[in-house]
Amino acid sequence: MPHSARVLLGATTLFVFAQPALAAEEVADSGEQTIVVTGQRPEYGIKATSTATKTDTLVRDIPQAMSIVSEAQIEDQSLRSIGDLLMFVPGATPGTGESNRDQITLRGNNTTADFFVDGLRDDAQYFRDFYNLDRVEVLKGPNAMIFGRGGGGGIVNRVTKRASFGNHRQVIVSHDSEGGNRGTADLDFALGGPLGVRINSVWEDADSFRRDTRLKRYGINPTLGVAIGRATRIDVGYEYFHDRRTTDRGVPSLDGKPLKGFDRTFFGDPDDSFSDADVQIGSLAVEHGFSDALTLRHRTLLANYDKFYQNIYPNSAVTGQGGQPGLNLGAYNSRNDRRNLLSQTDLVWTGSLAGIDQTWLVGVELGRQTSRNQRLSGAIAGGNRITLADPTVDRGVVYVRAASDADNRTRTTVAAGYVQTQVRPSDFVEIVAGLRFDRFRLSVDDERAGVATVGRTDELVSPRLGLIVKPRRNLSLYGSYSRSYLPQAGDQFSGLTPVLGELKPERFDNLELGAKWEPLAGLLATAAIYQLDRSNSRVGDPARPGFFLLSGEQRTRGLELGLERSINARWQVSAGYALQDAEVTKATTACPSGDCEVPAVPRHSGSLWTKYQLSKPWALGLGVLARSKSYASISNAVELPGYARVDGAAYYRVTAGIEAQLNVENLFGVDYFPTAHNDNNIAPGAPRTARLTLRADF
């Protein structure tokens, strides 16, 4: 083996080689992610992660479905958002989030809060960027044993870059056919001795195929790494990120379908519809190895999220009043500010007891989150009716607080402890078992006159159990069970009322059978079938108007197939297919009939992205997306038609360290509607769009 230096990175072990790097097959079964600092981008996917178990574990030995999208794939596809990325993840559907936040549906469960960064909660409502990421990990099914409350359908975890203690710099600039410009920089320096620093930054100024819409954002994320001997590593980071954009709520419906012929048209007032978010995140990570068997990991996150948004948007279907087809507008604005202070401390031991190999995890999580929420409803001067002949308007709006508008302060505190074991009684069998206890306290101070403070404390027990059988070295078969909870106040917790304060949390139970197979070194094929039951959902109490019963239920059944990483040194691939059936099985407040299909869940969805290196300078990429019909909302009144989209890319190495890349989205100009927020806020898909990128590594 060439001489190397080993630096602790938690989920990642970095080898900085003084001599030529090992061949891929030499490290294929090391159980560690290995990054060779040569100036080349890494391959798709990873072999091991600590996110799903909090211990360094091979992906093929984790008893749950997950999809991992690496920095290399993000750059190759020119992905710009969580929504873009999730289109290529089986079982996931992005939402529009009212054009002011990330919002997703995983296995039939919608969320605005199940987002994490380096394993810690990042649950405020804003649009995240990828400029400082090593990868994005999407874990399917309830994950409370590792992540705590929520996560009923799954979670999205962003893994950020840290100092490598090497010297590498990368600058990327791009321009697209709609007039958008973007630049990122990744500067990685060795400062000498035990110190390294990495600075990632982004600037973007973009138009859209949608008229009168703009996006401006910028961010910077410096991190300092300190390696104390071979056993200890400390990382300190700070991120500032600003995002301002037009809040474009899309097009309305007509006769139960999205309105066609207006894909570029803004409905409402674009000048007074905007979202403004400022995010500051400070982080501290410490890892210390007491020995080869015992490791301590600690991470603290302090985050401030300041956000204001305002929108004047389509609020009805198109109707033909007086022979003038048109629709109604709605208007409101909202301020949502949040402060998070979170910490996790884990002790991991790996060894043998009674002759049985095993890994034990014992950890604690402490957290405090405070929020300020204010909402004002808008009264539109001259009336709220617009016609299709003149849908983009400039009208005065007066904002006042309606009786139902939020004006509150929320406080949540969490104290949790968890224990997990990974027992390997033989080379062919592994058992993963864990239990978490959370004490979750929520209080809401309502600033409206005559409304009292409401509080609730829940003590939640979240189990996890998985059995893995390995009939062959490259094949794992598993069965698993997991559970999660969500308080009745919702995933942002501002909806707590005295009535809801008396209700137990919703519950999510997931049963899953799956297989993970590496038919070739570097290629991972996965399959999973599951049943996810959501219970304790609310339904109105017929005997007591204004009160609720917890008898509502939802069930999602599905099959997920995945293929990721590399077929060979020239050919990389990421593909997936999901067959899903998600429906309300017992009446809820949203579905009083008890027989509704869950929105944003197509029965069939598939994706493919592949890149092939034709020669040393040339490579080509091909992407395909296909989805069957789905519904825009739980009303099932508006149907989003199925569609298929084809993307393409070409890559050319101009000279050593400089590469040009051309991505074309929607090569054949298909007219489609990929997602919606409700029946009359439907997002049209972009027409054929080209983006030219130049990348320099030095």
Side-chain angles (χ1 to χ4, degrees):
M1 171 185 276
H3 173 70
S4 63
R6 184 178 188 273
V7 183
L8 289 171
L9 286 176
T12 305
T13 298
L14 174 75
F15 289 85
V16 184
F17 287 100
Q19 299 180 26
L22 293 175
E25 58 269 19
E26 293 181 73
V27 297
D29 293 302
S30 68
E32 299 168 325
Q33 179 190 2
T34 302
I35 304 172
V36 180
V37 182
T38 65
Q40 297 179 352
R41 284 183 290 161
E43 295 183 345
Y44 291 4
I46 58 171
K47 293 194 70 67
T49 179
S50 66
T51 301
T53 59
K54 290 186 178 290
T55 63
D56 296 327
T57 304
L58 290 170
V59 171
R60 72 172 182 235
D61 293 338
I62 297 171
Q64 75 178 109
M66 57 192 303
S67 298
I68 298 173
V69 182
S70 67
E71 176 193 14
Q73 185 180 342
I74 289 171
E75 290 185 7
D76 284 348
Q77 290 190 253
S78 195
L79 301 174
R80 291 290 181 265
S81 68
I82 294 286
D84 290 343
L85 182 146
L86 289 182
M87 296 291 286
F88 290 86
V89 172
T93 302
T96 67
E98 297 180 283
S99 194
N100 69 73
R101 61 181 181 262
D102 288 321
Q103 186 162 350
I104 59 177
T105 298
L106 294 173
R107 290 190 171 178
N109 291 279
N110 184 273
T111 179
T112 65
D114 291 326
F115 299 97
F116 293 77
V117 57
D118 295 322
L120 288 174
R121 201 170 286 276
D122 177 45
D123 55 0
Q125 296 185 345
Y126 71 105
F127 283 112
R128 295 149 181 85
D129 198 275
F130 295 156
Y131 75 98
N132 59 345
L133 297 191
D134 177 76
R135 63 186 182 270
V136 177
E137 302 172 325
V138 184
L139 280 62
K140 318 292 183 56
N143 284 274
M145 194 267 130
I146 297 295
F147 296 99
R149 69 184 187 272
I155 66 98
V156 175
N157 181 55
R158 296 178 298 141
V159 179
T160 60
K161 299 176 182 177
R162 294 187 281 177
S164 71
F165 301 96
N167 290 291
H168 175 243
R169 300 155 187 85
Q170 182 183 77
V171 176
I172 303 174
V173 294
S174 64
H175 175 78
D176 65 46
S177 56
E178 298 295 340
N181 298 293
R182 177 182 169 95
T184 64
D186 181 359
L187 310 177
D188 195 3
F189 300 97
L191 299 182
L195 300 178
V197 67
R198 192 163 193 168
I199 303 172
N200 284 274
S201 59
V202 63
W203 172 86
E204 185 170 2
D205 187 347
D207 286 323
S208 165
F209 74 98
R210 300 273 296 163
R211 297 190 189 102
D212 304 306
T213 60
R214 296 283 300 173
L215 164 65
K216 291 185 178 181
R217 56 182 167 185
Y218 50 84
I220 187 167
N221 179 203
T223 62
L224 174 68
V226 183
I228 304 173
R230 292 171 56 86
T232 304
R233 170 158 183 160
I234 301 172
D235 289 279
V236 180
Y238 168 77
E239 179 183 9
Y240 175 76
F241 180 68
H242 172 79
D243 182 290
R244 182 181 176 93
R245 65 181 65 212
T246 307
T247 50
D248 173 17
R249 299 278 288 264
V251 303
S253 64
L254 172 64
D255 297 330
K257 302 284 186 180
L259 177 66
K260 291 191 174 184
F262 291 81
D263 287 7
R264 294 181 178 270
T265 302
F266 191 99
F267 287 81
D269 186 345
D271 292 334
D272 288 330
S273 298
F274 62 91
S275 174
D276 207 338
D278 288 283
V279 177
Q280 298 184 73
I281 300 177
S283 62
L284 168 68
V286 180
E287 180 170 347
H288 176 70
F290 294 102
S291 66
D292 290 341
L294 188 63
T295 301
L296 177 70
R297 293 172 179 166
H298 173 82
R299 188 168 187 88
T300 294
L301 181 145
L302 175 63
N304 289 347
Y305 307 91
D306 295 319
K307 179 180 164 198
F308 177 85
Y309 69 96
Q310 180 170 289
N311 46 173
I312 304 167
Y313 60 94
N315 197 30
S316 75
V318 174
T319 59
Q321 291 182 1
Q324 290 285 332
L327 63 144
N328 297 329
L329 296 178
Y332 74 92
N333 63 36
S334 180
R335 173 164 291 282
N336 306 112
D337 299 332
R338 177 164 294 172
R339 308 290 180 263
N340 284 356
L341 177 58
L342 309 166
S343 75
Q344 290 178 352
T345 303
D346 300 324
L347 191 63
V348 179
W349 177 84
T350 299
S352 179
L353 289 174
I356 300 176
D357 291 338
Q358 49 200 283
T359 299
W360 283 86
L361 162 74
V362 178
V364 295
E365 178 177 334
L366 301 172
R368 175 181 172 85
Q369 299 176 267
T370 60
S371 300
R372 180 71 170 105
N373 304 297
Q374 296 175 294
R375 187 183 192 275
L376 299 176
S377 295
I380 302 173
N384 64 350
R385 184 75 179 175
I386 60 173
T387 66
L388 294 187
D390 187 20
T392 306
V393 297
D394 181 10
R395 295 183 182 175
V397 179
V398 177
Y399 293 94
V400 295
R401 180 163 289 110
S404 60
D405 285 341
D407 184 11
N408 60 49
R409 302 176 188 272
T410 71
R411 296 184 304 278
T412 65
T413 58
V414 175
Y418 43 87
V419 60
Q420 176 187 264
T421 183
Q422 295 165 270
V423 180
R424 295 170 285 276
S426 74
D427 292 339
F428 309 104
V429 176
E430 183 169 347
I431 300 169
V432 179
L435 193 67
R436 177 182 177 119
F437 174 80
D438 282 87
R439 188 178 190 275
F440 176 70
R441 169 68 180 170
L442 168 64
S443 63
V444 177
D445 297 330
D446 205 312
E447 303 292 328
R448 296 174 296 180
V451 182
T453 296
V454 183
R456 179 177 174 87
T457 300
D458 287 298
E459 296 183 344
L460 309 174
V461 177
S462 304
R464 174 185 191 175
L465 180 63
L467 173 65
I468 305 165
V469 179
K470 307 172 188 179
R472 300 180 61 183
R473 188 165 178 263
N474 63 344
L475 174 63
S476 297
L477 309 176
Y478 69 87
S480 66
Y481 167 77
S482 59
R483 178 187 298 169
S484 186
Y485 294 94
L486 179 66
Q488 294 288 342
D491 55 15
Q492 295 295 329
F493 307 124
S494 62
L496 190 67
T497 66
V499 172
L500 297 184
E502 300 298 320
L503 303 180
K504 295 179 180 180
E506 290 189 279
R507 174 173 155 176
F508 303 80
D509 292 276
N510 188 76
L511 290 169
E512 184 170 319
L513 296 173
K516 298 184 180 183
W517 179 39
E518 295 180 334
L520 303 171
L523 184 65
L524 178 67
T526 63
I529 58 173
Y530 67 89
Q531 177 175 295
L532 174 55
D533 288 312
R534 181 174 186 169
S535 56
N536 280 356
S537 295
R538 301 193 304 269
V539 64
D541 185 348
R544 297 188 303 162
F547 289 82
F548 299 95
L549 301 174
L550 298 185
S551 59
E553 294 183 1
Q554 175 183 313
R555 169 168 287 179
T556 307
R557 288 175 169 168
L559 163 69
E560 294 173 358
L561 304 176
L563 186 68
E564 59 186 50
R565 303 182 192 168
S566 304
I567 296 175
N568 56 41
R570 290 175 175 263
W571 192 358
Q572 301 195 77
V573 64
S574 175
Y577 167 77
L579 171 65
Q580 297 184 94
D581 181 13
E583 58 183 358
V584 176
T585 54
K586 290 188 179 180
T588 66
T589 52
C591 177
S593 70
D595 183 22
C596 304
E597 290 192 35
V598 176
V601 183
R603 182 64 58 92
H604 301 277
S605 60
S607 65
L608 167 69
W609 175 261
T610 184
K611 178 185 178 183
Y612 189 79
Q613 195 75 37
L614 296 171
S615 61
K616 191 172 183 178
W618 283 101
L620 294 177
L622 176 69
V624 179
L625 281 174
R627 299 196 170 214
S628 60
K629 69 173 185 176
S630 61
Y631 288 109
S633 79
I634 195 68
S635 74
N636 292 181
V638 176
E639 181 182 288
L640 305 181
Y643 66 92
R645 188 188 93 191
V646 177
D647 302 339
Y651 312 85
Y652 179 70
R653 186 184 180 197
V654 179
T655 186
I658 299 179
E659 184 178 88
Q661 171 180 332
L662 177 65
N663 291 82
V664 182
E665 179 181 310
N666 196 2
L667 272 167
F668 301 116
V670 174
D671 186 22
Y672 69 106
F673 298 88
T675 189
H677 180 70
N678 57 36
D679 287 346
N680 295 296
N681 293 171
I682 303 169
R688 184 184 301 109
T689 305
R691 178 178 288 117
L692 179 64
T693 300
L694 290 176
R695 179 182 298 102
D697 291 273
F698 53 95

